[in-house]
């Protein structure tokens, strides 16, 4: 019987990817390495997920394979290596920015001379001096990458840029040094230094925009890991406490957690009681009471009590570690959005090169005495006019204006992919707490049985209470002056009792008040029932004889949520609500906001699974949330939106953040995406039309008919004009209404 060899599946960061076709090249190279069973390269976050046989291939072999084509694989997964990689990304961005800025500085006077001051003394030599650093220094990466691609039989945007700019530059240098070569043949020796430099400059600007959008991809995982404390207090020999690093904690260790500290690992409470803030796991705003035998989870925050618990899950087995892993997998599993320009470049490069060579050959054969010179000019004209400047600008300029427009309207858009993809959204999943609702409990009403002369007693009791709902009562009654209580006692999980002026008073749940055997006025009974039906939490205040007041506390629905849901539905987007809350509360919130599809009692992993289920049904899914518990679903969604007042982790995972936490911004984001994509399509259409008309004219298709041959100088001007038209069209978005 043959035993199947064990495989390893691991994600590695990649450096050096400059476009989507680079990701394809890297994926092909890794996939061809012996021992690799499956590989997926994600251009969006510059990573490769590789499943391989460790007995056949090692990470170092994979690294060597990628280095052979100009990329690199980071095999060291230590914390120091991660920081070094982040520093490298920042350094590369600064280098790219410096190149783009200096290219602009040199290109502006170059264009002015090339277009308007061609007749000044030594014009060609001045332009040569200005173009050389742009082409050979700032644009060096295009030639290096193009050569590496060519050695492996591939072509990408770098190939097209390198080919067109090098031909224009070399041809211009030749004409500058040997103008008599053309003059003796009755032709003028034109130079095209400005075309070569401007192409490099525009493409560098496009790359800069792209890098800026991808610069913060790893910060979300860092912050999730940051939820874990670095040290843990472990109890040894019954009473002795020892502080040890988190990595040394073992299952069954007895751990002590003081007020304000984070729970380091998952476990079960042995002794003590406290309220634990689990909002980062559950998303629900109310802290949860933890007593003996209750489960606690890593990353949650202990509030006021001291608890001892037994570790049940440590390291990668904790719930927080699982969330981190799920977020990483969801981010890595996204197929890179193949930029249309890069897809076209794979065909465009060989086609244009073929047309240019064919043009030269046809002119040599059929052009007569001047066939070679006219053919060479026609070939250069084809390469100059077919330069991918307009194609390269079509997307980034529209994205740049779209992102700026979003910022003006309170929408922080982190990358181009989400802005492009949002126009396809036909289903949106909304978290309830903090997204549809305010995310914090508030007193909505207080009803007194007779009068509120004992309000000061209620206020003073709630001031001393540790219960999280007491804070909402204190905030609501902040204009009441406290009194000095003769006696106060907190009964954990039930309520509080106190004595004032010789009388006993109680605040707590209905069960706690019923246990005091006090009279409940019918008006308060009826009102509490109404509040409960409206998803409110009811607190009771009583003395020894009767209930004095009932208090309704609820997480209010945001004032704009109803309008936002209606707007999304008008736009043809189906709205789903997911919540960890109970069925009754979820149903009431859904009914009030007009949402027909909702699920209650949902765990963080269930949210992501629901998003994936919708995607498998063919929907393009957006997810809006504000908590760490939403981070996996946000990473899984096609378009992820974080509410501005939510957690940092949600905002880092999400591709879009709403500064105001106003749900009405979500339909605005989708509308902005639709307008931006419309502009991109228009830009690409005009860029294609320009090439479809310009390339045949440059090749001399009209010469046999009317003797017209396009001058390379006019071709350069046409190329520049195409770029201007694309940028101008993109700027129209600034004045569009959302």
């Amino acid at each position: 019987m043959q035993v199947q060899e064990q495989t390893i599946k691991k994600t590695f960061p990649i450096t050096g990817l400059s476009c989507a076709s680079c990701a394809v090249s890297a994926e092909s190279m890794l996939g061809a390495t012996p021992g690799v069973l499956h590989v997926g390269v994600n251009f969006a976050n510059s990573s490769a997920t590789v499943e391989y046989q460790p007995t056949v291939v090692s990470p170092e072999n994979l690294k060597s394979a990628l280095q052979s084509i100009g990329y690199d694989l980071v095999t060291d997964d230590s914390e120091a290596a991660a920081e070094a990689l982040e520093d490298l990304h920042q350094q590369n961005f600064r280098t790219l920015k410096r190149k783009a800025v200096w290219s602009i500085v040199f290109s502006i006077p170059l264009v002015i001379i090339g277009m308007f001051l061609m007749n000044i003394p030594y014009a060609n030599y001045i332009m040569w001096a200005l173009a050389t650093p742009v082409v050979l220094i700032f644009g060096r990466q295009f030639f290096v990458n193009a050569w590496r691609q060519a050695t492996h039989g591939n072509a990408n945007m770098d190939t097209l840029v390198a080919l067109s700019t090098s031909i224009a530059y070399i041809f211009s240098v030749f004409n500058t040094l040997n103008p008599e070569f053309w003059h003796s043949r009755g032709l003028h020796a034109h130079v095209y230094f400005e075309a070569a430099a401007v192409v490099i400059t525009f493409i560098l600007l496009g790359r800069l925009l792209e890098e800026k959008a991808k610069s913060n991809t790893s910060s979300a995982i860092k912050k999730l890991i940051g939820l874990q404390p670095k040290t843990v207090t472990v109890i040894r020999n019954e009473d002795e406490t020892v502080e040890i690093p988190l990595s040394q904690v073992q299952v069954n260790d007895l751990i002590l957690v003081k007020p304000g500290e984070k729970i380091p690992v998952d476990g079960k409470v042995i002794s003590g009681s406290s309220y634990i803030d689990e909002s980062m796991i559950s998303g629900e705003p109310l802290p949860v009471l933890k007593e003996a035998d209750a489960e606690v989870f890593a990353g949650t925050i202990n509030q006021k009590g001291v608890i001892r618990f037994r570790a049940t899950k440590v390291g990668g087995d904790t719930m927080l570690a699982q969330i981190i892993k799920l977020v990483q997998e969801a981010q890595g599993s996204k197929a890179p959005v193949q930029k249309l320009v890069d897809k076209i470049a794979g065909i465009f490069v060989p086609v244009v090169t073929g047309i240019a060579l064919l043009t030269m050959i046809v002119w040599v054969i059929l052009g007569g005495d001047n066939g070679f010179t006219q053919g060479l000019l026609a070939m250069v004209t084809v390469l100059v006019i077919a330069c991918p400047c307009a194609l390269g600008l079509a997307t980034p300029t529209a994205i740049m204006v779209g992102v700026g427009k979003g910022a003006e309207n309170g929408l922080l858009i982190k990358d181009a992919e989400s802005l492009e993809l949002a126009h396809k959204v036909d289903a949106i999943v909304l978290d309830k707490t903090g997204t549809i609702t305010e995310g914090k409990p508030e007193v909505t009403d207080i009803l007194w049985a007779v009068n509120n002369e004992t309000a000061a007693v209620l206020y003073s009791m709630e001031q001393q209470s540790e219960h999280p709902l007491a804070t909402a009562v204190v905030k609501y009654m902040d204009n009441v002056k406290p009194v000095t209580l003769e006696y106060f006692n907190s009964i954990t999980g039930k309520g509080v009792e106190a004595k004032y002026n010789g009388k006993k008073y109680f605040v707590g749940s209905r069960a706690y008040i019923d246990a005091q055997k006090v009279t409940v006025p019918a008006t308060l009974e009826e009102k509490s029932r109404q509040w409960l039906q409206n998803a409110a939490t009811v607190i009771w205040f009583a003395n020894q004889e009767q209930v004095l007041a009932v208090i309704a506390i609820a997480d209010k629905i945001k004032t704009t949520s109803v309008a936002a849901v209606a707007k999304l539905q008008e736009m043809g987007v189906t709205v789903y609500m997911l919540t960890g809350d109970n069925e009754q509360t979820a149903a009431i919130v859904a009914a009030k906001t007009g949402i027909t599809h909702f699920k209650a009692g949902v765990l963080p992993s269930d949210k992501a699974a629901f998003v994936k289920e919708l995607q498998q049904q063919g929907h393009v899914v957006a997810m809006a949330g504000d908590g760490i518990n939403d981070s996996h679903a946000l990473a899984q969604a096609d378009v992820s939106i974080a509410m501005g007042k939510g957690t940092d982790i949600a905002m880092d995972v999400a591709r879009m953040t709403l500064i105001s936490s106003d749900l009405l911004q979500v339909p605005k984001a989708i509308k902005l995406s639709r307008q931006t994509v419309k502009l991109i399509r228009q830009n690409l259409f005009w860029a294609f039309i320009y090439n479809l008309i310009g390339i045949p004219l440059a090749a001399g298709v009209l010469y046999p008919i009317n003797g017209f041959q396009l001058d390379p100088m006019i071709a350069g001007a046409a190329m520049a004009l195409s770029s201007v038209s694309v940028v101008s069209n993109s700027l129209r978005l600034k004045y569009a209404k959302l």
Side-chain angles (χ1 to χ4, degrees):
M1 179 178 174
Q2 190 175 1
V3 180
Q4 189 173 3
E5 186 178 349
Q6 187 177 3
T7 63
I8 294 176
K9 187 176 184 181
K10 196 170 181 180
T11 300
F12 303 94
I14 297 180
T15 61
L17 299 181
S18 60
C19 64
S21 54
C22 294
V24 175
S25 299
E27 190 171 299
S28 300
M29 182 58 69
L30 289 172
T33 306
V36 173
L37 303 180
H38 181 267
V39 61
V41 174
N42 189 325
F43 173 58
N45 61 6
S46 296
S47 68
T49 302
V50 187
E51 187 178 356
Y52 62 95
Q53 296 170 319
T55 56
V56 181
V57 65
S58 69
E60 292 304 318
N61 299 139
L62 301 175
K63 184 183 180 78
S64 299
L66 275 192
Q67 285 176 334
S68 70
I69 56 170
Y71 311 121
D72 201 0
L73 196 74
V74 181
T75 55
D76 187 350
D77 56 3
S78 67
E79 190 173 334
E83 290 177 3
L85 181 63
E86 187 64 26
D87 289 341
L88 179 63
H89 285 316
Q90 293 298 324
Q91 184 182 338
N92 289 341
F93 179 78
R94 288 193 294 269
T95 302
L96 187 57
K97 185 177 181 180
R98 187 169 61 251
K99 287 180 179 179
V101 169
W102 279 108
S103 293
I104 293 170
V105 169
F106 279 90
S107 295
I108 290 173
L110 181 58
V111 170
I112 293 171
I113 295 171
M115 302 299 288
F116 307 108
L117 305 173
M118 281 293 294
N119 296 321
I120 65 172
Y122 304 107
N124 286 3
Y125 287 94
I126 295 171
M127 288 191 289
W128 184 8
L130 289 169
T132 298
V134 177
V135 175
L136 300 184
I137 299 175
F138 309 134
R140 180 177 176 273
Q141 69 194 66
F142 297 114
F143 299 98
V144 172
N145 292 340
W147 174 253
R148 284 171 177 161
Q149 293 292 325
T151 56
H152 289 84
N154 297 324
N156 62 1
M157 282 287 288
D158 290 335
T159 308
L160 198 55
V161 173
L163 190 62
S164 57
T165 54
S166 61
I167 291 289
Y169 179 81
I170 293 168
F171 186 67
S172 299
V173 170
F174 177 83
N175 289 354
T176 299
L177 297 175
N178 300 286
E180 292 303 321
F181 179 84
W182 300 107
H183 293 162
S184 63
R185 290 162 175 77
L187 299 167
H188 184 67
H190 287 291
V191 294
Y192 308 100
F193 290 118
E194 79 283 356
V198 167
V199 168
I200 296 287
T201 301
F202 277 135
I203 301 302
L204 283 173
L205 275 173
R207 293 277 167 88
L208 184 67
L209 291 171
E210 196 172 314
E211 284 302 312
K212 190 173 182 180
K214 301 190 312 182
S215 60
N216 296 317
T217 53
S218 61
S219 59
I221 299 299
K222 284 182 181 177
K223 287 185 179 176
L224 279 171
I225 294 169
L227 287 172
Q228 299 169 314
K230 295 187 182 296
T231 59
V232 182
T233 303
V234 178
I235 301 171
R236 307 279 195 206
N237 303 323
E238 295 186 0
D239 294 326
E240 182 188 351
T241 59
V242 182
E243 198 169 272
I244 63 172
L246 177 65
S247 58
Q248 293 181 14
V249 178
Q250 304 290 323
V251 173
N252 291 325
D253 277 349
L254 188 60
I255 296 168
L256 175 72
V257 181
K258 298 171 185 175
E261 291 183 344
K262 293 174 182 174
I263 305 295
V265 295
D266 292 0
K268 185 172 284 189
V269 176
I270 301 299
S271 64
S273 66
S274 179
Y275 281 93
I276 305 289
D277 180 0
E278 294 187 340
S279 59
M280 63 284 298
I281 299 294
S282 67
E284 298 310 309
L286 300 181
V288 181
L289 174 65
K290 299 292 182 177
E291 297 177 299
D293 293 330
E295 288 187 333
V296 291
F297 303 101
T300 57
I301 301 171
N302 182 29
Q303 294 201 319
K304 296 182 179 179
V306 177
I307 59 172
R308 292 173 175 81
F309 72 91
R310 185 80 63 187
T312 56
K313 291 180 180 178
V314 300
D317 295 327
T318 66
M319 181 179 284
L320 177 61
Q322 292 300 312
I323 290 176
I324 293 170
K325 183 182 177 183
L326 291 170
V327 171
Q328 286 176 321
E329 287 179 356
Q331 286 180 332
S333 65
K334 284 177 177 284
V337 177
Q338 299 289 330
K339 302 297 181 189
L340 184 56
V341 174
D342 287 311
K343 285 183 178 179
I344 295 161
I347 304 169
F348 194 68
V349 175
V351 168
V352 169
T353 306
I355 291 172
L357 289 172
L358 183 63
T359 298
M360 176 71 180
I361 293 167
V362 170
W363 272 103
V364 169
I365 296 172
L366 304 177
D369 294 338
N370 289 328
F372 176 79
T373 54
Q374 287 181 302
L376 186 62
L377 279 172
M379 182 178 73
V380 171
T381 307
V382 168
L383 289 169
V384 168
I385 205 166
C387 184
C389 196
L391 285 171
L393 281 170
T395 300
T397 54
I399 292 295
M400 183 171 64
V401 178
V403 169
K405 181 77 172 178
E408 290 172 10
N409 288 272
L411 301 167
L412 292 182
I413 299 162
K414 296 185 183 178
D415 63 22
E417 290 180 17
S418 57
L419 185 59
E420 286 182 42
L421 190 58
H423 82 284
K424 293 181 178 178
V425 168
D426 58 3
I428 184 165
V429 177
L430 303 177
D431 173 51
K432 178 183 76 70
T433 306
T435 303
I436 296 174
T437 66
E438 296 287 352
K440 51 189 176 185
E442 291 182 351
V443 173
T444 57
D445 204 354
I446 294 181
L447 182 63
W448 294 89
V450 183
N451 53 52
N452 62 350
E453 61 185 19
T454 52
V457 178
L458 171 62
Y459 179 73
S460 302
M461 292 175 70
E462 291 291 65
Q463 259 193 329
Q464 294 188 43
S465 173
E466 294 180 356
H467 197 284
L469 292 182
T471 306
V473 178
V474 171
K475 185 179 178 182
Y476 185 81
M477 302 178 69
D478 61 356
N479 60 337
V480 176
K481 290 184 179 180
V483 295
T484 304
L485 301 173
E486 299 163 12
Y487 159 81
F488 178 86
N489 182 38
S490 175
I491 298 127
T492 305
K494 295 180 180 179
V496 295
E497 62 181 21
K499 187 181 284 187
Y500 178 70
N501 282 346
K503 283 189 176 182
K504 266 196 170 185
Y505 294 89
F506 309 92
V507 178
S509 64
R510 178 60 186 269
Y512 174 60
I513 296 299
D514 284 346
Q516 311 309 319
K517 298 181 179 177
V518 298
T519 304
V520 181
T523 53
L524 300 191
E525 183 78 72
E526 178 60 29
K527 180 58 71 175
S528 69
R529 192 177 296 113
Q530 292 174 11
W531 288 341
L532 288 169
Q533 288 174 352
N534 284 310
T537 300
V538 178
I539 295 176
W540 300 75
F541 173 50
N543 60 19
Q544 291 168 285
E545 291 83 31
Q546 69 165 49
V547 173
L548 301 174
V550 282
I551 308 158
I553 298 180
D555 185 8
K556 290 182 180 177
I557 294 172
K558 292 177 183 175
T559 54
T560 55
S561 292
V562 176
V565 170
K567 187 73 175 173
L568 286 165
Q569 290 169 340
E570 283 175 19
M571 296 172 74
V573 179
T574 306
V575 182
Y576 299 84
M577 182 184 78
L578 302 184
T579 178
D581 217 332
N582 60 69
E583 186 78 23
Q584 181 185 4
T585 302
I588 291 167
V589 172
K592 286 184 176 180
T593 53
I595 297 172
T596 54
H597 307 280
F598 70 90
K599 289 181 77 173
V602 178
L603 295 173
S605 57
D606 295 335
K607 290 183 180 181
F610 184 77
V611 170
K612 193 171 185 179
E613 185 183 327
L614 289 175
Q615 289 170 328
Q616 289 171 344
Q617 293 170 8
H619 294 289
V620 177
V621 184
M623 167 73 191
D626 73 325
I628 294 173
N629 64 303
D630 301 318
S631 56
H632 178 205
L634 286 168
Q636 177 66 46
D638 299 295
V639 178
S640 46
I641 304 167
M643 314 308 287
K645 294 178 183 176
T647 63
D648 289 343
I649 283 80
M651 287 188 276
D652 282 337
V653 171
R655 305 288 188 88
M656 296 184 183
T657 299
L658 310 182
I659 297 173
S660 64
S661 282
D662 182 353
L663 207 56
L664 269 174
Q665 298 293 81
V666 175
K668 279 188 179 182
I670 295 173
K671 186 176 181 182
L672 176 63
S673 172
R674 291 177 180 179
Q675 291 174 337
T676 305
V677 170
K678 184 179 178 182
L679 270 182
I680 291 171
R681 288 173 176 168
Q682 289 173 353
N683 287 347
L684 289 174
F685 171 78
W686 288 114
F688 278 122
I689 287 295
Y690 154 77
N691 278 297
L692 286 172
I693 296 174
I695 290 174
L697 287 178
V701 72
L702 293 179
Y703 190 82
I705 301 171
N706 56 14
F708 174 79
Q709 184 176 8
L710 188 64
D711 191 295
M713 189 65 188
I714 297 173
M719 183 273 295
L721 184 63
S722 70
S723 304
V724 172
S725 65
V726 165
V727 174
S728 301
N729 190 47
S730 296
L731 288 172
R732 291 192 306 112
L733 182 58
K734 275 191 171 186
Y735 310 102
K737 287 185 179 181
L738 292 183

